[in-house]
Amino acid sequence: MTMSSDRAVPEPLGDDPGGIENELLKFLELRTGKPWSPDMDVFGSGGLSSLFAMELVVHLERTYGVSVRGADLQMEHFRTARRMTALVDRLRRPAAGGTGG
């Protein structure tokens, strides 16, 4: 199955967590047909499935140029738009003490 995309991979939205959060709220509203607040529980509020969680992972990776792996694949990181924003923000920052190349 091919996911249709009416846009190319976008440029990262910058380092503004507010922009990320707003985009995520719009994405959630588009996908669910209802408005969302930053701290609304995505899975507790609408009965959304674990399959939708995987859609969120793909959306974050494609939209923000991050790679969500390992310990970051915990439901708690996807429970609210605010938590997803924090995850993206953290994943987009260089790792402290990382290898320099």
Side-chain angles (χ1 to χ4, degrees), residues 19 37 39 47 51 74 76:
S37 66
D39 291 316
L51 181 59
Q74 296 177 24
E76 71 182 69

Side-chain angles (χ1 to χ4, degrees), residues 7-26:
R7 61 183 177 166
V9 175
E11 289 293 318
L13 294 176
D15 291 327
D16 176 21
I20 295 169
E21 187 173 277
N22 287 335
E23 188 281 330
L24 286 170
L25 291 170
K26 289 176 187 174

Side-chain angles (χ1 to χ4, degrees), residues 69-96:
R69 293 180 268 173
D72 292 322
L73 286 170
Q74 296 177 24
M75 189 71 80
E76 71 182 69
H77 294 298
F78 301 90
R79 192 149 306 275
T80 68
R82 185 155 290 151
R83 288 184 184 184
M84 287 183 269
T85 300
L87 176 65
V88 167
D89 189 48
R90 182 173 55 79
L91 292 175
R92 290 175 70 189
R93 298 200 185 285

Side-chain angles (χ1 to χ4, degrees), residues 29-43:
E29 185 171 354
L30 180 68
R31 294 292 292 130
T32 65
K34 70 179 195 174
W36 293 87
S37 66
D39 291 316
M40 187 180 250
D41 187 332
V42 172
F43 299 96

Side-chain angles (χ1 to χ4, degrees), residues 38-66:
D39 291 316
M40 187 180 250
D41 187 332
V42 172
F43 299 96
S45 299
L48 300 175
S49 67
S50 57
L51 181 59
F52 186 72
M54 292 313 299
E55 276 188 61
L56 288 171
V57 170
V58 170
H59 177 73
L60 296 181
E61 289 182 335
R62 289 184 177 172
T63 303
Y64 304 107
V66 297

